[in-house]
Amino acid sequence: MSAVQQIGGFDDSTQKVKNSQSGGLTNPATDTSIWVVGLRSATNDIVYKLKALEAGTYTLSSGFNDWYGSRSRKIGPKLEYLDTNGDTQTISFDPFNTNQIKSISGEFTIPEDIDTSKPMTLTYAYVSDEKPILSWFSIAKGGIKQLISDAQQAAASTVKVALDGNDIKADNVNGLTFKGFGVLSGNSSSALLMDYKSEQPEAYAEMLRVLFGGEHPIMTHVKIEMGNDRNNSTGPDPATMRTADEAANVQRHPGFQLAADAKKLNPNLKVSFLRWSAPAWADNNDKIYTWYKNTILAAYRTYGYMVDYVNPGINEHSPDLAWAKQYANLVQTDSTGFESETEKELYNRIKVVISDEVGTGTFGGSMISDADLMNAVSVAGFHYSTDDDGSGNFKKLADQYDKEVWNSEAQATFSNSSYRPNNNTKDPSTAGTGIGGVGSPLEMGNTIIKGFVNSRRTHFVYQPAIGSFYEGGQYSFKELVSARDPWSGWMHYDAGLDILQHFSLFAHAGWENDSNTAGIWRAVPEASAAGATGTNPVNGRNGLPNYMTLAAPDKSNFSTVIVNDSEYERIYKIQAFNMSYTGNPSMEVWKPALRTAELPLTATT
């Protein structure tokens, strides 16, 4: 394709034209940024004279930008030339309306009888409604309409991701640090885990390695939901103190043992707990505090770790803000009942989480307006929603106040993902959704991205991540690891883990230290976007862009995770600038490796 040299120009001897200054906007002669609006007719037509073309096939392309918005302007372009007999010949193009078309291309052929010594006339002729406008036109040799259309479609499907190193907030140590993912042990979901440890130690050890091991562990947190020996939706969790005078016994609850074993692989793993319900004797906040404290110290004395975070409230209930402040003060100032100064100091550092309620948190505004509550609470957590409140308070908590915001209970996958590639669902038009669609691993990925973009969630806890309970008592399959058969040792590792690995494997995830030297990667709002609809479930079948960028605080490296849960192709162009690395290092592209459902996870370039 080569361009045709233009001579002549606009012929306004009869058909007058105006530029945008006449439309009441900036003079394009002094502000070229607005020149895109081009011309509009002051009479009826826009006429341009150009050198006659040689015989052959060409493509005329034109663009239109109406500074008045989307007024109806029907235009009929035409080319006029003289043949060797001196007669005027006309090539007409189909008329169109610029309120529907912003650019258009059409092919035409110049016959051999053209008189190339005489100029041609290109007219954008008035057909109806408002007068014609024109921003630009070009004529190229060859019939390239399809080529242009393909290029336009490719451009329309191209997503540009721009990472400015100056947007990597190294001084934000809590709100934007990417903390990875967590396992929730509760609702009897860990009931068979210790049977695996006893009867199938190799299978249990492999599970620990897959979830918690390696330089970049998938899971960085064990959250324990305490119970009172009664049903917690899918089964009971044992009470650590069944009476007020009983010594706390954390060995009853497999979650405490799981956390201890996971910490052997990752000493930086965090442990938290809250309650589904309390034993009957703990019927006021003072007794709740006693139950919690005795349980925390029992875990420390039995397994050697101090719990890091506590929600003093009840799972999926409205927050008790006064009690949250009181509990934080009690923890920070308690000085009795400890076996050592180290034990006391570790206990006094426990941080408070609120409120683990279902849906978008109701307390964001209260935290911002109440300085005492802000100081008392370290983590804002809520369940099964990606969205912020109407005032954007959770984004403010992370961005401006440097507070952690968690999706403190999220769903993993619904159904065993190994069956998904065989489905023939049309969503919307092509049969089969692979590992995508409703309740899928790709939905998990989009939930992570949208949760960060919409409400700055930088940590996601799955309930249950490990489904280790008897068949028939649980919800529909929604776990990442299925461990229901300790008598055989069988385990299923779901494809959802592969999706989580995209976030954890290439970033340094976790919690920043007090001196801000651990190098935990920051999530970058300016280089992240979510086009998926819904909040729980999230639906990415529309094909709109979904991506999240994580970056090293020293600007030396970054990772952008892209999720396309649709039948539509997307092209991503990623540009990074103002980074600390030198030169132009090549970018690696990773995707999950094909594997059997039961093998540990790998990735391939």
Side-chain angles (χ1 to χ4, degrees):
M1 181 181 77
S2 61
V4 175
Q5 183 181 3
Q6 299 174 357
I7 63 171
F10 284 104
D11 179 2
D12 60 353
S13 58
T14 302
Q15 300 291 329
K16 303 298 183 182
V17 293
K18 302 177 182 180
N19 63 24
S20 62
Q21 187 178 27
S22 299
L25 298 181
T26 305
N27 183 351
T30 58
D31 183 0
T32 56
S33 66
I34 202 117
W35 183 245
V36 67
V37 301
L39 303 176
R40 65 179 172 125
S41 172
T43 312
N44 276 319
D45 304 333
I46 297 175
V47 181
Y48 195 92
K49 289 191 178 296
L50 68 159
K51 180 180 178 181
L53 303 172
E54 299 289 340
T57 299
Y58 298 85
T59 301
L60 169 67
S61 298
S62 312
F64 312 91
N65 186 52
D66 192 339
W67 61 87
Y68 285 120
S70 58
R71 292 186 177 183
S72 178
R73 303 175 187 271
K74 197 168 185 181
I75 303 173
K78 61 182 179 180
L79 271 168
E80 295 174 294
Y81 66 92
L82 293 177
D83 62 19
T84 52
N85 294 322
D87 296 328
T88 299
Q89 303 295 332
T90 302
I91 300 174
S92 297
F93 297 82
D94 292 336
F96 53 84
N97 198 319
T98 60
N99 68 356
Q100 299 172 335
I101 293 175
K102 301 305 178 187
S103 65
I104 192 169
S105 297
E107 297 174 1
F108 64 95
T109 299
I110 300 292
E112 296 289 340
D113 66 350
I114 185 172
D115 182 352
T116 57
S117 66
K118 300 295 191 298
M120 303 175 66
T121 300
L122 171 61
T123 302
Y124 291 84
Y126 170 79
V127 176
S128 63
D129 302 324
E130 297 283 337
K131 298 301 171 38
I133 56 173
L134 177 66
S135 294
W136 58 269
F137 78 89
S138 66
I139 298 176
K141 288 183 178 179
I144 60 168
K145 179 179 178 180
Q146 187 60 50
L147 179 64
I148 293 171
S149 177
D150 292 344
Q152 289 173 330
Q153 290 183 16
S157 66
T158 298
V159 180
K160 295 181 180 179
V161 181
L163 172 61
D164 183 344
N166 294 328
D167 291 330
I168 303 169
K169 301 299 190 294
D171 58 345
N172 186 306
V173 298
N174 300 305
L176 295 176
T177 45
F178 184 71
K179 301 155 194 74
F181 308 102
V183 170
L184 191 151
S185 178
N187 308 115
S188 196
S189 62
S190 301
L192 299 179
L193 264 187
M194 295 305 107
D195 295 278
Y196 270 91
K197 183 175 182 177
S198 174
E199 300 177 29
Q200 308 291 343
E202 291 184 1
Y204 180 78
E206 182 182 74
M207 179 204 69
L208 292 175
R209 181 183 61 79
V210 169
L211 295 182
F212 303 103
E215 185 179 356
H216 300 279
I218 299 173
M219 300 296 173
T220 58
H221 173 200
V222 173
K223 176 180 177 181
I224 300 165
E225 193 171 276
M226 297 208 298
N228 61 355
D229 294 297
R230 290 177 290 187
N231 183 48
N232 290 4
S233 77
T234 58
D237 283 311
T240 57
M241 291 177 64
R242 289 173 174 143
T243 62
D245 57 357
E246 181 186 33
N249 182 354
V250 293
Q251 293 176 306
R252 290 175 183 157
H253 196 303
F256 289 96
Q257 177 70 67
L258 174 65
D261 294 336
K263 268 188 163 293
K264 293 175 184 176
L265 294 176
N266 177 15
N268 294 319
L269 179 113
K270 300 298 183 183
V271 181
S272 72
F273 74 63
L274 81 170
R275 71 183 187 276
W276 174 278
S277 53
W281 66 268
D283 55 5
N284 60 49
N285 285 339
D286 289 340
K287 293 177 182 178
I288 292 293
Y289 181 80
T290 298
W291 176 38
Y292 278 16
K293 177 181 177 180
N294 290 351
T295 299
I296 291 168
L297 295 181
Y300 181 74
R301 294 166 186 173
T302 303
Y303 297 120
Y305 64 82
M306 185 64 67
V307 169
D308 299 283
Y309 295 91
V310 171
N311 179 350
I314 305 173
N315 183 60
E316 297 189 345
H317 282 63
S318 297
D320 184 340
L321 303 182
W323 168 232
K325 290 187 284 187
Q326 182 186 357
Y327 179 83
N329 181 66
L330 288 170
V331 166
Q332 293 165 9
T333 60
D334 199 338
S335 60
T336 61
F338 299 101
E339 292 185 348
S340 68
E341 184 64 22
T342 297
E343 186 179 77
K344 182 182 81 70
E345 290 178 356
L346 290 173
Y347 182 85
N348 293 155
R349 294 177 193 168
I350 292 173
K351 297 178 180 180
V352 169
V353 180
I354 61 171
S355 66
D356 284 285
E357 58 195 298
V358 178
T360 300
T362 59
F363 56 91
S366 297
M367 282 191 66
I368 290 174
S369 63
D370 184 340
D372 290 338
L373 183 64
M374 180 74 77
N375 291 332
V377 173
S378 297
V379 178
F382 50 94
H383 301 177
Y384 304 114
S385 172
T386 57
D387 291 346
D388 207 334
D389 63 23
S391 299
N393 285 311
F394 292 98
K395 287 193 289 290
K396 292 176 187 175
L397 285 172
D399 295 343
Q400 300 174 28
Y401 296 93
D402 199 10
K403 290 290 183 180
E404 300 181 42
V405 185
W406 297 357
N407 190 335
S408 48
E409 185 174 319
Q411 76 177 47
T413 56
F414 272 105
S415 80
N416 186 318
S417 296
S418 61
Y419 301 137
R420 283 185 170 269
N422 299 317
N423 77 60
N424 58 4
T425 301
K426 291 184 178 180
D427 186 8
S429 60
T430 301
T433 60
I435 59 169
V438 176
S440 70
L442 293 185
E443 183 194 298
M444 283 181 62
N446 277 332
T447 300
I448 295 164
I449 293 170
K450 190 170 184 180
F452 171 71
V453 171
N454 281 20
S455 55
R456 294 297 183 270
R457 316 292 257 289
T458 52
H459 185 51
F460 301 81
V461 182
Y462 293 102
Q463 197 289 106
I466 306 168
S468 189
F469 39 16
Y470 293 106
E471 295 283 355
Q474 72 282 359
Y475 293 121
S476 299
F477 187 103
K478 64 170 191 174
E479 60 244 34
L480 297 169
V481 177
S482 180
R484 299 189 178 120
D485 301 280
W487 35 89
S488 70
W490 179 84
M491 287 189 182
H492 165 73
Y493 295 94
D494 197 80
L497 288 170
D498 298 79
I499 301 305
L500 298 187
Q501 248 192 343
H502 277 267
F503 296 87
S504 65
L505 186 60
F506 310 106
H508 184 23
W511 279 260
E512 190 54 82
N513 59 25
D514 292 339
S515 59
N516 195 14
T517 57
I520 302 300
W521 284 26
R522 271 56 168 179
V524 186
E526 295 84 356
S528 306
T533 61
T535 181
N536 188 63
V538 165
N539 191 329
R541 303 301 295 174
N542 57 18
L544 294 178
N546 293 280
Y547 58 92
M548 180 176 176
T549 299
L550 309 173
D554 63 359
K555 308 180 186 181
S556 63
N557 208 343
F558 73 96
S559 173
T560 299
V561 181
I562 299 166
V563 177
N564 184 359
D565 181 13
S566 80
E567 61 194 53
Y568 309 110
E569 180 179 283
R570 280 283 178 184
I571 299 169
Y572 280 79
K573 292 187 176 181
I574 301 174
Q575 178 188 18
F577 50 95
N578 292 326
M579 302 294 284
S580 65
Y581 52 71
T582 58
N584 188 25
S586 61
M587 181 176 291
E588 295 182 353
V589 179
W590 289 75
K591 62 182 179 180
L594 294 175
R595 64 178 177 87
T596 66
E598 321 319 328
L599 291 179
L601 312 179
T602 58
T604 183
T605 183

